[in-house]
Amino acid sequence: MAIKDFGTRRVRRSWTPLILSAVAVVGTLGAFAFTVADLARFEQENGVKRQPTPAQRARYAPVARAEWRQVRAHLEARLNQRSPLELGAVWATRTGQVCGLVNGRGSFGGLTAMARFYTVDQRPVFHRDVEHVAFQKAWFECRRDQYVMLHDGTMEPGFCGTELGKRRCFKVKNGVRVE
């Protein structure tokens, strides 16, 4: 490439720096485009799944309720308590898995906090039953696929999600109590 030096003489310059700069700019823009596309795909794959249509809900709800009756019997047997279970939100996923929160009694008879559970073959699985990462991954899948709601209730785990906790806990926003 020939470049004039203020119109007086011609200097021969190499194309290499221009080509390398162009490749760097195109590579950076391409990497940015692929990153944005990959991030969009990741968000779509891991976002909350679409709610069922009324026809789908009407078709699947009886099956989910029948599944819930069996799961509830296993849950009551597993927690082994005389008083009725205090349930938080309970729902069924598209795959037929039942997930939710339950407040049971501990081994000494005292109330525990709202504990998350999901089912495997209609048997409840709690956090202490499996490895932490496996439980969190399964719970994440449960949370993003609330297909049929079986019992309305709190989604807050811990003591403040219980009936007693609702009377004793209060909401705080920016350090100030909110009613």
Side-chain angles (χ1 to χ4, degrees):
M1 166 167 101
I3 300 174
K4 290 189 174 186
D5 187 13
F6 298 110
T8 57
R9 62 181 180 175
R10 295 176 71 83
V11 178
R12 197 90 176 130
R13 300 283 168 128
S14 174
W15 283 87
T16 306
L18 184 62
I19 291 172
L20 289 177
S21 297
V23 167
V25 168
V26 169
T28 303
L29 291 175
F32 180 73
F34 283 120
T35 301
V36 168
D38 192 40
L39 182 61
R41 183 176 49 80
F42 176 80
E43 288 290 331
Q44 185 176 12
E45 288 174 357
N46 291 310
V48 175
K49 293 187 178 178
R50 201 172 318 132
Q51 291 294 317
T53 63
Q56 290 171 329
R57 185 177 287 123
R59 184 175 57 238
Y60 186 69
V63 175
R65 284 192 182 87
E67 182 88 10
W68 169 233
R69 281 192 291 277
Q70 293 175 350
V71 169
R72 186 173 180 143
H74 289 298
L75 196 60
E76 288 172 351
R78 167 84 188 271
L79 295 176
N80 192 19
Q81 60 188 42
R82 291 181 292 271
S83 60
L85 293 176
E86 182 183 345
L87 295 169
V90 179
W91 63 91
T93 65
R94 285 173 172 78
T95 60
Q97 189 176 34
V98 175
C99 306
L101 289 101
V102 63
N103 183 18
R105 294 198 177 270
S107 60
F108 293 109
L111 286 173
T112 61
M114 282 291 181
R116 299 171 176 154
F117 73 91
Y118 63 90
T119 57
V120 174
D121 296 330
Q122 298 177 345
R123 303 276 180 195
V125 177
F126 291 95
H127 192 269
R128 65 181 176 269
D129 297 339
V130 294
E131 182 185 321
H132 174 74
V133 174
F135 184 86
Q136 292 299 340
K137 185 175 180 183
W139 182 253
F140 175 75
E141 290 299 320
C142 279
R143 278 298 303 256
R144 64 186 284 258
D145 188 15
Q146 297 178 13
Y147 200 62
V148 173
M149 190 59 72
L150 299 169
H151 185 271
D152 288 327
T154 183
M155 291 293 288
E156 183 175 353
F159 175 72
C160 290
T162 64
E163 287 299 320
L164 180 61
K166 287 178 187 174
R167 288 179 281 180
R168 297 202 176 161
C169 296
F170 52 89
K171 295 184 191 264
V172 175
K173 184 173 183 179
N174 296 332
V176 179
R177 186 175 179 169
V178 179
E179 295 301 321

